[in-house]
Every structure is written in C-alpha cells, then in structure tokens.
Amino acid sequence: MSGQGGRRVLLWRHGQTTWNVERRFQGQTDIPLTEAGLAQATRSARLLAALRPDAILSSDLTRTANTAAELAQLTGLSVTLDEGLRETYAGHWQGLTNREIEERFPEQFAAWRRGEPVRRGDGELETEVADRAVPAIERAVEKLPEGGTLVVVSHGGTIRCAIGRMIGLPEDTWGSLGALSNCCWSVLGPGARGWRLLEHNAGTLPEPVLGDEV
C-alpha cells in the first residue's frame, strides 16, 4: 500500500503508565494510564484535533484506548479498536525491569541488544508484530477520503515496527528509529515511492518543510 491520494497516517504512542515510570517491560500486559499519562493524552489530543483527523484506530489495550478516547471526545469521531495494534508480546519478559531481564535471560537480552531477531521472553518477533499491525493500518487507510488523516494509537515497539515496514526499511535496521516518548507521535505521508516519514517523535504540530529536501 502506498501513500497515494495525499493521505497521512499519524502514529501516536499512549500516555504514561506506572510500568513506564518503573521501566518495566509491559508488552501486552494491560496497564492503565497514570494521572500524568491522562494529562499527557488530554494535552496532545488538543493539538491533534487541530489536524482535523478523519478516523481514529487504536490498540484495544486500556492505555491506548483511554488515550484515543481523549481525541475522540474532542473530534466527535468514534474509535475503532484492533488487537492487531497491541504491543509486542514478550512472554516471560513482561513485568520485568531491564536489569531483571538481563539477569534472568542474559543470552536473549544480549542478542536483542545486538539487534538480532529475538523472541523476547519466547514471545513475538518484530517482523510478526509488523505482520499484524500494518494490515490493520492499511485497512483503515483504504477507508479514508482523498487527503484524509488517520490517527493510529498504539505502542512504542509496534509503532517502530509498523513504520519500518511501511517505509521499506530492512528489518535489521528498524532499531535505528528512535523510541517514541509517551504521547508523542510520528507522521507518514505520500512520497514518490510509497510512504515517507515526515515527522518522528513529535510533540508539537507539524511545520511546513522548507528547503531543498522537500
């Protein structure tokens, strides 16, 4: 699927959770937003509403659904929930801190740090995350009007995998995409050869790009 028709996809990470603060690997564990996380979602939603999105698609986990609800309230749009947008399932790693993971699964942890394909905690590969997330996004894009904007509310790892797949990066380079801060977003738009990354880890409204690289 290319970014034809001037459509945009804005990928928005959920607000802060207690496990984010404690630096615990969440995976698909259903952890709610903190009060600070809800405030982040409220603030970001005010900015994103100004972009006049046409549709909102969200992971069905509580932290993403509640983030999406803030934008839905401002725009009057309904939220479509899709489990294909959940975070990477990380099995035995879920609920552990990086230090605990390194102590209990040293070989897996070291391989992951080297950027090798790893089933973290005997869970999913990053390619498998992209295999489920990208089709969910593409189905929603197909329903957009010409020039329309889709907001996808998901998780840091899933967003990175989706962006990597959608802009055609080799799988072993997806880690080169920096992590998203809570309630920050990235924007994909149309390019000459398909999707193009226009904004990454943004927390303010996109500005026009001026100069030779347009």
Side-chain angles (χ1 to χ4, degrees):
M1 161 68 75
S2 69
Q4 295 171 351
R7 299 177 176 91
R8 288 187 299 181
V9 177
L10 189 147
L11 298 119
W12 184 24
R13 187 185 175 208
H14 61 79
Q16 180 197 87
T17 71
T18 53
W19 279 18
N20 288 154
V21 175
E22 295 169 4
R23 299 185 180 277
R24 294 189 181 278
F25 206 104
Q26 293 183 123
Q28 294 189 4
T29 311
D30 202 7
I31 306 300
L33 298 176
T34 60
E35 286 188 19
L38 187 58
Q40 290 170 339
T42 301
R43 173 196 170 276
S44 297
R46 292 194 193 104
L47 292 172
L48 299 183
L51 297 178
R52 300 185 180 278
D54 296 279
I56 305 171
L57 178 69
S58 175
S59 157
D60 62 344
L61 296 179
T62 301
R63 57 189 182 272
T64 39
N66 288 352
T67 299
E70 293 298 307
L71 183 58
Q73 184 175 349
L74 293 178
T75 60
L77 296 170
S78 59
V79 178
T80 300
L81 299 177
D82 194 315
E83 64 181 20
L85 295 170
R86 289 182 180 183
E87 184 58 289
T88 308
Y89 174 64
H92 308 302
W93 285 25
Q94 295 184 171
L96 302 180
T97 64
N98 272 358
R99 177 176 293 180
E100 290 168 338
I101 293 167
E102 188 171 14
E103 289 173 352
R104 299 183 196 184
F105 308 95
E107 292 181 8
Q108 269 192 0
F109 187 82
W112 175 52
R113 286 296 199 197
R114 290 193 298 267
E116 298 174 13
V118 175
R119 292 189 180 277
R120 287 167 283 179
D122 298 326
E124 289 181 292
L125 294 172
E126 288 190 337
T127 51
E128 293 170 339
V129 177
D131 287 344
R132 59 174 166 79
V134 172
I137 295 168
E138 289 180 339
R139 287 191 296 269
V141 168
E142 289 170 358
K143 299 175 184 176
L144 289 176
E146 194 89 356
T149 297
L150 169 69
V151 173
V152 177
V153 192
S154 189
H155 311 264
T158 301
I159 290 172
R160 183 176 61 250
C161 295
I163 291 174
R165 173 71 56 80
M166 291 174 76
I167 67 175
L169 292 180
E171 293 159 2
D172 61 353
T173 67
W174 292 356
S176 300
L177 293 164
L180 288 184
S181 303
N182 287 117
C183 268
C184 286
W185 57 83
S186 296
V187 182
L188 299 179
R193 295 177 293 275
W195 291 109
R196 189 179 191 184
L197 183 60
L198 304 179
E199 300 271 334
H200 187 57
N201 198 29
T204 58
L205 290 180
E207 295 287 340
V209 177
L210 306 175
D212 299 333
E213 296 299 318
V214 176

